[in-house]
Structure formats: structure tokens, C-alpha cells
Short mmCIF file of all heavy atoms in Angstrom, two decimals:
data_model
loop_
_atom_site.label_atom_id
_atom_site.label_comp_id
_atom_site.label_asym_id
_atom_site.label_seq_id
_atom_site.Cartn_x
_atom_site.Cartn_y
_atom_site.Cartn_z
N GLY A 89 -86.81 65.11 -2.65
CA GLY A 89 -85.58 64.76 -3.34
C GLY A 89 -85.35 63.27 -3.39
O GLY A 89 -84.90 62.72 -4.40
N LEU A 90 -85.65 62.57 -2.32
CA LEU A 90 -85.48 61.12 -2.28
C LEU A 90 -86.41 60.44 -3.26
O LEU A 90 -86.00 59.51 -3.98
CB LEU A 90 -85.76 60.61 -0.86
CG LEU A 90 -85.67 59.08 -0.67
CD1 LEU A 90 -84.27 58.59 -1.02
CD2 LEU A 90 -86.03 58.70 0.76
N VAL A 91 -87.66 60.88 -3.34
CA VAL A 91 -88.60 60.31 -4.30
C VAL A 91 -88.10 60.52 -5.72
O VAL A 91 -88.18 59.62 -6.57
CB VAL A 91 -90.00 60.93 -4.12
CG1 VAL A 91 -90.92 60.52 -5.26
CG2 VAL A 91 -90.59 60.51 -2.78
N ALA A 92 -87.57 61.71 -6.02
CA ALA A 92 -87.06 61.98 -7.35
C ALA A 92 -85.91 61.06 -7.70
O ALA A 92 -85.80 60.54 -8.81
CB ALA A 92 -86.63 63.45 -7.45
N VAL A 93 -85.00 60.83 -6.73
CA VAL A 93 -83.87 59.94 -6.97
C VAL A 93 -84.35 58.52 -7.22
O VAL A 93 -83.87 57.81 -8.12
CB VAL A 93 -82.90 59.98 -5.77
CG1 VAL A 93 -81.87 58.86 -5.88
CG2 VAL A 93 -82.20 61.33 -5.70
N LEU A 94 -85.32 58.06 -6.43
CA LEU A 94 -85.84 56.71 -6.61
C LEU A 94 -86.47 56.54 -7.99
O LEU A 94 -86.34 55.50 -8.63
CB LEU A 94 -86.87 56.40 -5.52
CG LEU A 94 -86.29 56.20 -4.11
CD1 LEU A 94 -87.43 56.03 -3.11
CD2 LEU A 94 -85.35 55.00 -4.06
N ARG A 95 -87.16 57.58 -8.48
CA ARG A 95 -87.80 57.50 -9.79
C ARG A 95 -86.75 57.45 -10.91
O ARG A 95 -86.98 56.85 -11.94
CB ARG A 95 -88.74 58.68 -9.98
CG ARG A 95 -90.04 58.54 -9.19
CD ARG A 95 -90.92 59.76 -9.36
NE ARG A 95 -92.19 59.60 -8.65
CZ ARG A 95 -93.07 60.59 -8.47
NH1 ARG A 95 -92.81 61.78 -8.96
NH2 ARG A 95 -94.19 60.36 -7.83
N LEU A 96 -85.62 58.11 -10.69
CA LEU A 96 -84.59 58.14 -11.71
C LEU A 96 -83.74 56.88 -11.71
O LEU A 96 -83.10 56.57 -12.70
CB LEU A 96 -83.70 59.37 -11.51
CG LEU A 96 -84.32 60.72 -11.88
CD1 LEU A 96 -83.40 61.85 -11.46
CD2 LEU A 96 -84.60 60.80 -13.38
N SER A 97 -83.71 56.17 -10.58
CA SER A 97 -82.87 54.98 -10.50
C SER A 97 -83.49 53.85 -11.30
O SER A 97 -84.70 53.65 -11.32
CB SER A 97 -82.69 54.55 -9.04
OG SER A 97 -83.95 54.18 -8.49
N ALA A 98 -82.62 53.11 -12.02
CA ALA A 98 -83.10 52.00 -12.84
C ALA A 98 -83.32 50.77 -11.98
O ALA A 98 -82.59 50.52 -11.02
CB ALA A 98 -82.09 51.70 -13.94
N ALA A 99 -84.32 49.99 -12.32
CA ALA A 99 -84.62 48.77 -11.59
C ALA A 99 -84.37 47.56 -12.48
O ALA A 99 -84.55 47.62 -13.69
CB ALA A 99 -86.08 48.78 -11.13
N ASP A 100 -83.93 46.47 -11.87
CA ASP A 100 -83.80 45.18 -12.54
C ASP A 100 -84.98 44.32 -12.13
O ASP A 100 -85.15 44.00 -10.95
CB ASP A 100 -82.48 44.50 -12.15
CG ASP A 100 -81.28 45.21 -12.72
OD1 ASP A 100 -81.27 45.45 -13.94
OD2 ASP A 100 -80.34 45.53 -11.96
N LEU A 101 -85.81 43.98 -13.12
CA LEU A 101 -87.00 43.16 -12.88
C LEU A 101 -86.75 41.76 -13.43
O LEU A 101 -86.29 41.61 -14.57
CB LEU A 101 -88.21 43.78 -13.56
CG LEU A 101 -88.47 45.27 -13.26
CD1 LEU A 101 -89.63 45.78 -14.10
CD2 LEU A 101 -88.75 45.47 -11.79
N HIS A 102 -87.06 40.74 -12.65
CA HIS A 102 -86.75 39.36 -13.04
C HIS A 102 -88.05 38.56 -13.24
O HIS A 102 -89.01 38.73 -12.48
CB HIS A 102 -85.88 38.70 -11.98
CG HIS A 102 -84.52 39.34 -11.87
ND1 HIS A 102 -83.44 38.93 -12.60
CD2 HIS A 102 -84.10 40.40 -11.10
CE1 HIS A 102 -82.40 39.69 -12.31
NE2 HIS A 102 -82.77 40.59 -11.40
N VAL A 103 -88.03 37.70 -14.25
CA VAL A 103 -89.19 36.88 -14.58
C VAL A 103 -88.80 35.41 -14.49
O VAL A 103 -87.88 34.96 -15.18
CB VAL A 103 -89.71 37.18 -16.00
CG1 VAL A 103 -90.97 36.36 -16.29
CG2 VAL A 103 -89.99 38.67 -16.18
N ASP A 104 -89.51 34.68 -13.64
CA ASP A 104 -89.30 33.23 -13.49
C ASP A 104 -90.65 32.56 -13.57
O ASP A 104 -91.47 32.68 -12.65
CB ASP A 104 -88.64 32.93 -12.14
CG ASP A 104 -88.25 31.47 -11.99
OD1 ASP A 104 -88.93 30.59 -12.59
OD2 ASP A 104 -87.28 31.17 -11.27
N PRO A 105 -90.94 31.84 -14.69
CA PRO A 105 -92.28 31.25 -14.85
C PRO A 105 -92.57 30.09 -13.91
O PRO A 105 -93.72 29.65 -13.81
CB PRO A 105 -92.27 30.78 -16.31
CG PRO A 105 -90.83 30.53 -16.61
CD PRO A 105 -90.06 31.55 -15.83
N VAL A 106 -91.57 29.62 -13.21
CA VAL A 106 -91.76 28.50 -12.27
C VAL A 106 -91.81 29.01 -10.84
O VAL A 106 -92.78 28.78 -10.11
CB VAL A 106 -90.65 27.45 -12.43
CG1 VAL A 106 -90.81 26.34 -11.39
CG2 VAL A 106 -90.65 26.87 -13.83
N ALA A 107 -90.77 29.72 -10.41
CA ALA A 107 -90.69 30.17 -9.02
C ALA A 107 -91.25 31.57 -8.81
O ALA A 107 -91.38 32.01 -7.66
CB ALA A 107 -89.22 30.12 -8.55
N GLY A 108 -91.58 32.27 -9.89
CA GLY A 108 -92.04 33.64 -9.75
C GLY A 108 -93.47 33.76 -9.26
O GLY A 108 -94.24 32.79 -9.27
N ASP A 109 -93.81 34.96 -8.83
CA ASP A 109 -95.15 35.26 -8.31
C ASP A 109 -95.53 36.65 -8.80
O ASP A 109 -94.81 37.62 -8.54
CB ASP A 109 -95.14 35.21 -6.78
CG ASP A 109 -96.53 35.34 -6.18
OD1 ASP A 109 -97.43 35.90 -6.85
OD2 ASP A 109 -96.73 34.90 -5.03
N ASP A 110 -96.65 36.77 -9.51
CA ASP A 110 -97.05 38.07 -10.05
C ASP A 110 -97.49 39.05 -8.97
O ASP A 110 -97.75 40.22 -9.27
CB ASP A 110 -98.15 37.89 -11.10
CG ASP A 110 -97.59 37.53 -12.46
OD1 ASP A 110 -96.36 37.60 -12.63
OD2 ASP A 110 -98.37 37.16 -13.36
N ARG A 111 -97.56 38.62 -7.72
CA ARG A 111 -97.80 39.55 -6.62
C ARG A 111 -96.51 40.22 -6.17
O ARG A 111 -96.53 41.17 -5.40
CB ARG A 111 -98.46 38.83 -5.45
CG ARG A 111 -99.88 38.33 -5.75
CD ARG A 111 -100.40 37.43 -4.66
NE ARG A 111 -99.62 36.20 -4.57
CZ ARG A 111 -99.87 35.21 -3.72
NH1 ARG A 111 -100.90 35.30 -2.89
NH2 ARG A 111 -99.11 34.13 -3.70
N SER A 112 -95.39 39.71 -6.67
CA SER A 112 -94.09 40.29 -6.34
C SER A 112 -93.87 41.57 -7.13
O SER A 112 -94.56 41.86 -8.11
CB SER A 112 -92.99 39.27 -6.63
OG SER A 112 -91.71 39.85 -6.47
N ASP A 113 -92.83 42.32 -6.74
CA ASP A 113 -92.50 43.55 -7.46
C ASP A 113 -91.44 43.33 -8.53
O ASP A 113 -91.05 44.27 -9.23
CB ASP A 113 -92.04 44.65 -6.49
CG ASP A 113 -90.77 44.27 -5.72
OD1 ASP A 113 -90.20 43.19 -6.00
OD2 ASP A 113 -90.36 45.05 -4.85
N GLY A 114 -90.96 42.09 -8.68
CA GLY A 114 -89.95 41.80 -9.68
C GLY A 114 -88.54 42.17 -9.25
O GLY A 114 -87.57 41.77 -9.90
N ARG A 115 -88.42 42.93 -8.19
CA ARG A 115 -87.10 43.37 -7.72
C ARG A 115 -86.65 42.54 -6.53
O ARG A 115 -85.58 41.93 -6.56
CB ARG A 115 -87.16 44.85 -7.32
CG ARG A 115 -87.70 45.77 -8.39
CD ARG A 115 -87.72 47.21 -7.93
NE ARG A 115 -88.42 48.07 -8.90
CZ ARG A 115 -88.37 49.38 -8.92
NH1 ARG A 115 -87.64 50.02 -8.01
NH2 ARG A 115 -89.02 50.08 -9.82
#
């Protein structure tokens, strides 16, 4: 049930071309 809830929850992903890192999850 927890996995199902996590899949349904929306995520905010952020992109920063200077401070960002593509190894990050964006969250």
C-alpha cells in the first residue's frame, strides 16, 4: 500500500544548470 501511494504522489523535479547535478533525483 505504501509503494502504491508513493507511485501516485506527484513529485516536483527541479533543474539548475549551474548548481544542479544529474546524479541527483531532482527532488
Side-chain angles (χ1 to χ4, degrees):
L90 178 60
V91 170
V93 169
L94 288 175
R95 285 178 177 170
L96 287 172
S97 64
D100 290 309
L101 308 175
H102 295 270
V103 183
D104 186 330
V106 176
D109 187 337
D110 278 350
R111 294 170 295 182
S112 173
D113 61 5
R115 307 180 188 194

